[in-house]
Every structure is written in C-alpha cells, then in structure tokens.
Amino acid sequence: QAQLVESGGGLVQAGGALRLSCAASLRTFRSYDMGWFRQAPGKEREFVASRRWSGDSTYYAASVKGRYTISRDNAKNTVYLQMNSLAPEDTAVYYCAAGPNGAWRRNWAFNYWGQGTQVTVSS
C-alpha cells in the first residue's frame, strides 16, 4: 500500500525559506511522477509543482515559479520542495502526490496523496 509522508513545514517569516520533504513508500518510486499541491484556509486545493518520473522536466504554478524548486532523490524515495522568498499568501497545508507517467502535466491524474504539512508565513 502506497504511503506518502510529508515533513518540513512550520512557521517562517516573510522572505524566509523552507524545504519540504516527502518520503514515499512506493515500490517503484522512480516510475512515478511526483507533485506538490497546497490548500489555504477557505480555498480549494491547488497545484504547486510537479516533476516527471525521469529526466529534469518540471512544471510550476505561475504563483511560485522562480521561487520554488521541486527535486527528487530516487535512491531515497523522496521528493523535495524548496520554497524561497515566502510570502503570507503561501500559507497553506502542503500535500505531496504521486501519479503515473504523464501526471506531471495532468494534475487530475495524481492518485496517491500524503496527509499534508502546515506552512505558515508571518508578515
């Protein structure tokens, strides 16, 4: 059974940085596209970033492009989200997701989800 566990969330001041980690217990982790989503209070969950199962293909939401970087370490079955220049509007619960090949450009295709980690950015 697939399990995704996020960590690294917390409270940070505006302009600061955080790195989220997601440890995946997927037998064939290296064959999954991985993504990050977030949900702010009172809002729907939204796409943040994704990375294809192989190569360096990545995709970012316009709101985070240039500030966030998604990376993965297949040897550790882990995906990361480096978040820089954080702003109060980045405050949300951040979720890690895994999906089949192609999910990185089709957000609806992600089918495994973590429980989320809270990121709070103070002004």
Side-chain angles (χ1 to χ4, degrees):
Q1 184 174 353
Q3 186 175 18
L4 305 177
V5 179
E6 302 95 337
S7 62
L11 174 64
V12 64
Q13 288 189 333
L18 281 175
R19 189 177 82 154
L20 305 183
S21 299
C22 171
S25 62
L26 295 164
R27 190 171 60 177
T28 55
F29 173 80
R30 63 180 65 248
S31 68
Y32 283 85
D33 290 352
M34 300 299 295
W36 288 94
F37 293 73
R38 67 185 182 186
Q39 186 168 19
K43 295 186 177 181
E44 293 187 354
R45 187 161 58 187
E46 65 175 1
F47 168 79
V48 174
S50 61
R51 190 176 182 103
R52 194 165 178 260
W53 68 277
S54 70
D56 298 325
S57 297
T58 55
Y59 187 50
Y60 296 93
S63 59
V64 307
K65 194 171 185 179
R67 300 188 298 124
Y68 288 16
T69 302
I70 184 172
S71 61
R72 63 190 295 164
D73 185 339
N74 287 340
K76 296 182 178 179
N77 279 23
T78 300
V79 62
Y80 305 97
L81 186 68
Q82 177 67 43
M83 306 184 295
N84 299 328
S85 302
L86 285 163
E89 52 266 35
D90 294 316
T91 295
V93 177
Y94 282 71
Y95 297 90
C96 173
N101 183 22
W104 74 289
R105 290 303 303 268
R106 298 196 297 269
N107 301 338
W108 51 265
F110 285 99
N111 52 1
Y112 294 115
W113 296 86
Q115 294 299 306
T117 185
Q118 176 70 48
V119 171
T120 302
V121 184
S122 63
S123 58

